[in-house]
Amino acid sequence: MVQDIEALQVKLNATKDRDELRALEEDMAGKILWLFWCGICAEVDELLPTVVDFIRREANMKGLQEICWVYHLPDPGDQAHLQRVMYDAGAKTSKHLLWLAARAAEQAKWSGTTRSTPVIDNRGTSPSTSRQHPQNC
């Protein structure tokens, strides 16, 4: 995972296009967030039984209430976007690869639309993107 983030950083440093930069930044942020999330989940999975056992032994219901209170804190609005970025990284969905595919599709769409049409003053032909067929003069 760290090598993936380093590779994205190299691409980011070499990129000039703003939209491509944004896609790479989102991929990097998502991978970093996903890495942290996996680490946090591993820690919680390991420590939760110890915490629950402590609460039971000490009959410390206040500790259990605090855990519930933290769990039910309202989500800030910005968190939804970061969660989507993180879950995309977890699903191995690259915003940068999607952006490259969209750019290639857009270029392919426009590359096949040129055709020759007559030029009025010299009866030659020139490229055109018009959808109307040229009239024979």
Side-chain angles (χ1 to χ4, degrees):
M1 179 73 76
V2 174
Q3 293 86 3
D4 292 345
I5 295 168
E6 289 172 347
L8 285 171
Q9 182 66 50
V10 170
K11 286 181 189 177
L12 184 75
N13 292 340
T15 301
K16 302 289 186 234
D17 184 279
R18 294 181 81 159
D19 292 331
E20 187 173 7
L21 278 170
R22 201 168 311 128
L24 284 164
E25 288 169 347
E26 197 166 297
D27 282 355
M28 280 184 59
K31 286 185 182 289
I32 292 167
L33 289 169
W34 185 252
L35 185 64
F36 286 158
W37 179 252
C38 291
I40 290 168
C41 288
E43 288 293 320
V44 168
D45 288 346
E46 187 175 315
L47 290 176
L48 188 60
T50 306
V51 171
V52 170
D53 185 50
F54 174 78
I55 290 172
R56 278 193 208 146
R57 263 186 301 124
E58 300 296 320
N60 186 353
M61 296 312 279
K62 182 180 178 189
L64 189 57
Q65 287 174 330
E66 288 178 18
I67 290 172
C68 289
W69 179 77
V70 169
Y71 182 73
H72 292 294
L73 286 174
D75 285 341
D78 294 342
Q79 202 170 27
H81 173 71
L82 293 175
Q83 280 182 335
R84 184 190 54 77
V85 169
M86 182 184 71
Y87 291 143
D88 283 350
K92 305 213 183 306
T93 301
S94 169
K95 197 73 154 202
H96 184 243
L97 292 178
L98 292 172
W99 181 84
L100 289 173
R103 182 179 68 176
E106 187 70 19
Q107 288 173 345
K109 177 176 133 182
W110 292 107
S111 67
T113 59
T114 59
R115 69 178 98 136
S116 295
T117 57
V119 175
I120 295 174
D121 57 339
N122 70 1
R123 300 273 188 208
T125 60
S126 67
S128 171
T129 57
S130 172
R131 295 194 183 274
Q132 296 178 352
H133 294 288
Q135 303 278 333
N136 288 336
C137 298

